[in-house]
Amino acid sequence: MKHLLTPRAILLASALAIAPAAWAETPADTLVVAAAIDDIISLDPAQSFEFSGNDVNQNTYDRLVDFDPLDMEAGFKPSLAESWEVSEDGLSITFKMREGVTFHSGNPVRAEDAAWSLHRAVKLDKTPAFILTQFGFTADNVEEKITFDDTTLTLHMDKPYAPTFVLNCLTANIASVVDKETVMANAEGEDLGNTWLNTNEAGSGPFVLAGWRPNEAVQFTAYEDYYQGAPAMKRVVVRNVAESSAQRLLLEQGDIDAARNLSPTDVESIGAVEGVKIQDEPRGRILYMGLNQKDPVLSNPQVIEAMKHLVDYDGIANSFLKGTFVPHQSILPKGYLGALEDLPWTYDVAKAKALIDEAGMSGKTITTKVRDLREYVDVAQALQASMAEAGLTLEIQQMTGAQVLDAYRARDVPIFLGEWGPDYSDPNTNAATFAYNPDNSDEAQATGLLAWRNAYAVPEAMNEATVAATLEQDGDKRAQMYLDIQKQYQAEAPIVPLFQRVENTGLRENVQNWNSGGSVTSVMYRQVTKGE
Amino acid sequence: MGGTLLSLVLTMLGLLLITFIIGRVMPIDPVLKVVGDRASQAQYDAAYQAMGLDRPLYVQFARYLGDVLTGDFGRSISTGQLVVDDIKRVFPATFELATLGTLIGVLIGVPLGVIAAARRGGIIDQVARVVALVGYSMPIFWLGLMGLLVFYGILGWVGGPGRQGIIYDGMVPTVTGLILVDSLIAGDWGAFQDAFSHIILPASLLGYFSLAYISRMTRSFMLEQLSAEYITTARVKGLSERAVIWRHAFRNIRIPLITVIALSFGSLLEGSVLTEIIFSWPGLGQYITKALLSGDMNAVLGGTVVVGTCFVALNLFSDILYRVLDPRSK
């Protein structure tokens, strides 16, 4: 009886326990990043519109103009275009192409490739296509509107748009320059290579895509012939790790160099760990509160005013959002041309209560839907508490992101709490969605506009100002126009910006020049180095 | 046998139909996943049509079945790739984990159950009961995180989240998709050790849960046998206790035990979702969950077919073993 299988079981258990130890330290020429990358659907720059897909494009493609990762403040700079000239009437811009640049395939980067890439994006008409088509390009006219010869490319626009507006849009993912020969060799039917580019890459950027396994990992190798010099990191691996605590463990153990989705709690506790640092970077996303104007309570101007005073901006930012958001009360994120940094609203329940009483709305109940993401639910509950003090009842239904989005696009969310990320690095990206809504009818189905989703009939003057700002040639005047729009917006709009996202990246101490893309673009790896 | 096969086909068909209907009535719009938050109505409509959602439900289902019969499971909208390719990639990860987990559960659970029954009320029986109780009541999420923290974070005995260390990632050519096997085929001992150090913790965790179930079932099967008359007879005949337990009682519980193990294996294949998420394990559980949350029905249905087939195959397998092992059926 004593010899029953127990000794063997013990032996097995101890064999399990002495499995080999984890590998400390990543190789010196390899950058290993843990991030939630399960949002990637497509790697085609004409289609990709998710954060992680854009991150991949950013590093594998070049654009006519790009940001310098070591000097983001400078804004767009020459890249595949060496220089450019705006015509006198402001209707066209001619780019002079840089010579001697090659794609990863070895093909030279020609003006033809750059023009074809833009034609292709317009013709495919995937979601991000509006970034280009807003300049008057359509599938039918784009070949006449975007022309090229051996060394130059010319954009012919339908209006004299502000050059900063056009150039900012050309830093967007969708303006990535793809290798025409390679893509067309892999095209299926009329798809202009879309199916192939969904999982492959044909760029000239600092990194070559070495592999993508969905929900698992993306791997890059350095492009040794990169025109700005080969990157220091010969290999970059981005591993999908969804859990913040797992990312933290990996970072502490030295198995990764960067952790991109640490929760506030993990950020706080990891700050004390030796060999690890936290880098804070303001990002472009804005957490806002949308008050649906179809709701009889929320469309009352006094209630709108009251709601702005029912958010405990500092309290929320300092408690559960700790470090991941900072109070921000205007529609343009800090870091954008003309961003307004005033914080006019204070947390003032007494004032809000007075306004609500005055409006005769005391005792009303609002039922809303909130995405079941901890941050949003926490904010909603804080709001619920302060609304209760001011005489309003907020009932919260938690739902998945997809469910809330469905309802929101159907104008069916009374108080929306969520984030909006800019689509490109120009102020128009947010102005055109928050402060522009030419037709507020249900039939308009302007589901892409935040103003429409909240049934906010934007005043005619503000609609016009938003359009006018895209045409202002003078950069300083243009910035002033956006400041004016934001001030007016703060005064009257029922959509209330609350916070701006801050990305806290956990890094090993030896990682230098990390850049998540600031408030305007995607992560960049080419300047990253690893010291001792 | 023919009757069994027919009922299997009907089972699968029913499973697909129910999953399909649940998918279609779920309040999630798959089109939005494809075109994203910012799409215009025209882009939305184009995608809606391209996905065939404008057709009546029965047409959609008939088309889907037709495609499946030709081996075409469609394209996943959450990965942009063919569902078949996705499953080829994620299934081996889950299979490897579940197999090792079951192995651990069987190797420890069966002897533990036998001893517990043989020494009813003794220390080992008490231990087995606590083990089973904890296995049932402890949230796997918490246990997994604690395991990672202790064995990876503090002690450094095992590898961290993921199937491989980064330096081995993609280094071993894929043959079976089972990294332990593939690294042996490639003769890469380092890669094998690395993969083993990564799988051992999640597999032990799953093994623990299957152990808790298997040992409890073994114990109750054994108790039933040990109280039977033939055991008393054997004892009276003067057989050693060891012979009584292993040669007589244990022999008679092999068959129901196989069903228990097969069931436990099946549930590890399907139910290791949380483990996969905690350990960043790129397997089927994670894949289906994510697909479900995005309304990605092609992926969900494809995953359902795989899990369903596994259950059916396991049932068939234990049926056949039944026939082989049970002398009465000969």
Side-chain angles (χ1 to χ4, degrees):
Chain A
M1 268 286 282
K2 287 203 172 117
H3 309 291
L4 292 175
L5 274 173
T6 24
R8 253 201 274 172
I10 292 168
L11 211 77
L12 182 83
S14 51
L16 303 183
I18 44 175
W23 302 92
E25 291 274 312
T26 58
D29 61 353
T30 302
L31 180 72
V32 183
V33 182
I37 55 163
D38 54 3
D39 59 334
I40 306 179
I41 300 171
S42 165
L43 297 181
D44 185 341
Q47 180 175 354
S48 165
F49 214 39
E50 289 72 35
F51 292 111
S52 307
N54 287 2
D55 284 346
V56 175
N57 290 160
Q58 176 72 39
N59 291 287
T60 49
Y61 292 92
D62 285 316
R63 286 138 293 269
L64 291 171
V65 288
D66 259 321
F67 295 98
D68 178 351
L70 296 173
D71 185 12
M72 296 292 287
E73 298 279 309
F76 55 78
K77 284 189 165 178
S79 180
L80 291 181
E82 216 167 43
S83 60
W84 51 86
E85 248 173 60
V86 181
S87 67
E88 281 207 3
D89 59 6
L91 283 169
S92 59
I93 304 181
T94 300
F95 296 86
K96 185 172 183 308
M97 297 296 291
R98 189 179 300 278
E99 278 173 46
V101 183
T102 52
F103 286 111
H104 301 156
S105 63
N107 295 336
V109 177
R110 305 162 302 172
E112 180 177 357
D113 294 291
W116 183 78
S117 303
L118 299 175
H119 296 166
R120 175 178 183 274
V122 169
K123 285 181 190 163
L124 281 175
D125 193 29
K126 301 291 184 185
T127 310
F130 73 92
I131 298 172
L132 298 175
T133 56
Q134 61 188 343
F135 299 112
F137 309 134
T138 64
D140 295 327
N141 74 13
V142 71
E143 289 189 33
E144 291 110 63
K145 295 284 191 177
I146 301 176
T147 57
F148 62 92
D149 61 29
D150 281 351
T151 56
T152 65
L153 175 150
T154 306
L155 300 182
H156 305 273
M157 297 158 298
D158 61 345
K159 287 181 196 161
Y161 293 103
T164 46
F165 177 32
V166 182
L167 290 159
N168 273 328
C169 285
L170 291 178
T171 65
N173 199 41
I174 192 159
S176 296
V177 175
V178 301
D179 181 349
K180 181 182 177 185
E181 306 287 322
T182 305
V183 173
M184 284 317 283
N186 290 289
E188 289 171 29
E190 301 291 299
D191 80 341
L192 295 172
N194 177 240
T195 309
W196 186 76
L197 274 186
N198 275 335
T199 53
N200 293 279
E201 160 269 305
S204 60
F207 287 94
V208 178
L209 180 72
W212 169 42
R213 301 193 300 276
N215 304 337
E216 204 178 333
V218 180
Q219 295 177 322
F220 305 89
T221 48
Y223 179 42
E224 294 299 330
D225 294 332
Y226 188 53
Y227 84 95
Q228 296 187 64
M233 294 292 108
K234 297 302 163 209
R235 208 173 151 218
V236 177
V237 181
V238 185
R239 177 71 75 85
N240 184 41
V241 180
E243 273 291 305
S244 163
S245 49
Q247 290 193 5
R248 178 184 143 194
L249 275 173
L250 283 162
L251 187 66
E252 286 179 354
Q253 292 300 100
D255 281 341
I256 58 170
D257 299 306
R260 296 198 63 192
N261 313 89
L262 296 173
S263 68
T265 331
D266 284 327
V267 166
E268 212 176 358
S269 54
I270 215 170
V273 175
E274 204 175 325
V276 177
K277 59 185 175 184
I278 298 288
Q279 178 173 325
D280 296 336
E281 244 174 293
R283 301 285 274 144
R285 278 189 283 164
I286 286 181
L287 176 55
Y288 68 96
M289 168 172 72
L291 306 174
N292 194 327
Q293 295 304 290
K294 289 194 159 192
D295 187 291
V297 179
L298 297 173
S299 57
N300 180 298
Q302 280 157 313
V303 173
I304 294 173
E305 179 64 19
M307 291 299 292
K308 293 171 182 171
H309 293 288
L310 285 174
V311 180
D312 183 1
Y313 300 91
D314 294 324
I316 291 172
N318 293 332
S319 57
F320 44 82
L321 296 184
K322 198 174 181 95
T324 54
F325 284 92
V326 288
H328 185 81
Q329 298 175 348
S330 54
I331 57 172
L332 290 182
K334 212 186 280 185
Y336 272 68
L337 177 79
L340 177 66
E341 298 189 20
D342 294 357
L343 299 170
W345 309 314
T346 49
Y347 180 47
D348 189 343
V349 180
K351 184 173 178 183
K353 187 170 180 2
L355 282 162
I356 289 165
D357 286 343
E358 213 177 287
M361 293 294 176
S362 196
K364 300 277 187 196
T365 296
I366 297 152
T367 305
T368 196
K369 306 170 175 78
V370 173
R371 181 174 177 187
D372 55 359
L373 207 67
R374 190 150 145 219
E375 291 146 358
Y376 302 163
V377 174
D378 283 348
V379 174
Q381 284 170 347
L383 187 64
Q384 186 180 43
S386 52
M387 281 171 74
E389 279 182 59
L392 292 177
T393 306
L394 180 65
E395 279 177 11
I396 302 170
Q397 297 173 352
Q398 290 188 35
M399 293 182 172
T400 66
Q403 285 172 308
V404 174
L405 186 56
D406 268 359
Y408 193 33
R409 289 170 59 102
R411 314 173 104 186
D412 201 21
V413 177
I415 298 183
F416 181 82
L417 285 169
E419 284 170 82
W420 181 263
D423 295 322
Y424 47 90
S425 67
D426 189 80
N428 186 56
T429 182
N430 277 11
T433 188
F434 278 97
Y436 181 73
N437 183 17
D439 180 357
N440 194 37
S441 67
D442 283 345
E443 294 71 40
Q445 284 293 309
T447 50
L449 302 183
L450 291 185
W452 185 86
R453 291 185 196 176
N454 287 290
Y456 170 36
V458 174
E460 202 45 48
M462 197 187 286
N463 278 333
E464 283 164 11
T466 300
V467 174
T470 62
L471 299 171
E472 176 52 55
Q473 305 285 310
D474 183 307
D476 291 337
K477 271 193 206 156
R478 190 165 179 243
Q480 188 55 48
M481 292 169 90
Y482 283 110
L483 287 171
D484 293 344
I485 292 172
Q486 290 167 92
K487 284 203 176 115
Q488 194 194 344
Y489 203 82
Q490 279 180 337
E492 62 191 42
I495 302 176
V496 190
L498 308 173
F499 304 100
Q500 179 171 348
R501 174 72 85 164
V502 174
E503 184 164 328
N504 320 105
T505 312
L507 295 171
R508 296 295 303 177
E509 200 95 78
N510 60 347
V511 176
Q512 279 138 22
N513 301 329
W514 173 267
N515 185 333
S516 302
S519 54
V520 287
T521 185
S522 308
V523 69
M524 287 178 265
Y525 303 125
R526 69 178 158 92
Q527 76 294 346
V528 174
T529 55
K530 279 163 80 171
E532 286 308 307
Chain B
M1 228 29 202
T4 326
L5 267 181
L6 183 68
S7 78
L8 292 185
V9 169
L10 288 178
T11 309
M12 289 304 295
L13 207 63
L15 190 66
L16 274 183
L17 184 64
I18 291 169
T19 317
F20 188 84
I21 290 171
I22 291 175
R24 285 295 184 267
V25 298
M26 253 188 346
I28 288 179
D29 185 346
V31 183
L32 275 182
K33 176 72 191 172
V34 174
V35 298
D37 189 0
R38 319 285 164 94
S40 67
Q41 196 58 35
Q43 284 160 335
Y44 179 96
D45 294 341
Y48 186 81
Q49 268 183 18
M51 292 165 74
L53 294 171
D54 51 337
R55 294 166 188 277
L57 216 62
Y58 65 90
V59 176
Q60 291 180 38
F61 186 64
R63 278 183 152 202
Y64 180 77
L65 271 189
D67 287 345
V68 165
L69 286 178
T70 59
D72 177 7
F73 286 76
R75 201 171 273 280
S76 156
I77 56 172
S78 49
T79 68
Q81 311 212 350
L82 293 175
V83 171
V84 174
D85 291 342
D86 276 345
I87 287 178
K88 270 188 210 153
R89 200 183 57 249
V90 299
F91 183 70
T94 298
F95 183 78
E96 194 170 29
L97 188 59
T99 307
L100 198 59
T102 307
L103 211 62
I104 293 171
V106 170
L107 287 180
I108 302 177
V110 171
L112 194 63
V114 171
I115 300 168
R119 293 193 162 178
R120 194 175 178 188
I123 293 177
I124 291 185
D125 191 21
Q126 300 291 354
V127 170
R129 203 174 305 164
V130 172
V131 164
L133 189 72
V134 172
Y136 271 99
S137 49
M138 198 71 87
I140 198 161
F141 199 78
W142 186 81
L143 214 56
L145 283 176
M146 284 303 118
L148 263 181
L149 186 68
V150 173
F151 295 107
Y152 169 65
I154 297 173
L155 298 171
W157 286 356
V158 302
R163 287 179 85 187
Q164 281 171 297
I166 313 277
I167 50 168
Y168 285 106
D169 200 333
M171 289 300 169
V172 172
T174 303
V175 183
T176 59
L178 309 171
I179 292 184
L180 289 176
V181 178
D182 285 353
S183 53
L184 286 182
I185 293 176
D188 190 336
W189 184 240
F192 179 81
Q193 280 186 311
D194 172 70
F196 187 74
S197 84
H198 279 87
I199 199 172
I200 193 62
L201 189 58
S204 302
L205 187 67
L206 290 180
Y208 180 56
F209 283 88
S210 93
L211 176 164
Y213 172 64
I214 290 173
S215 70
R216 207 184 54 143
M217 296 307 283
T218 310
R219 179 178 179 274
S220 73
F221 290 153
M222 278 301 279
L223 282 180
E224 198 183 316
Q225 295 296 326
L226 289 175
S227 62
E229 255 174 51
Y230 75 94
I231 293 290
T232 323
T233 320
R235 282 192 179 130
V236 170
K237 277 206 246 156
L239 274 176
S240 75
E241 190 64 17
R242 197 172 161 180
V244 168
I245 290 173
W246 291 108
R247 241 184 278 147
H248 292 272
F250 186 70
R251 185 184 286 262
N252 282 333
I253 70 161
R254 281 185 315 184
I255 295 162
L257 206 54
I258 283 166
T259 312
V260 165
I261 292 168
L263 274 178
S264 156
F265 182 63
S267 68
L268 287 197
L269 274 181
E270 159 225 44
S272 53
V273 179
L274 281 178
T275 318
E276 291 190 359
I277 289 170
I278 300 164
F279 290 92
S280 301
W281 200 264
L284 192 63
Q286 224 189 81
Y287 180 70
I288 298 181
T289 318
K290 192 178 168 289
L292 202 59
L293 290 176
S294 345
D296 182 359
M297 281 325 286
N298 282 346
V300 173
L301 285 165
T304 308
V305 171
V306 173
V307 173
T309 311
C310 284
F311 262 104
V312 165
L314 284 168
N315 270 320
L316 199 65
F317 172 75
S318 65
D319 264 10
I320 292 171
L321 268 185
Y322 234 104
R323 282 167 217 227
V324 174
L325 290 178
D326 190 348
R328 278 166 299 184
S329 67
K330 279 187 186 145

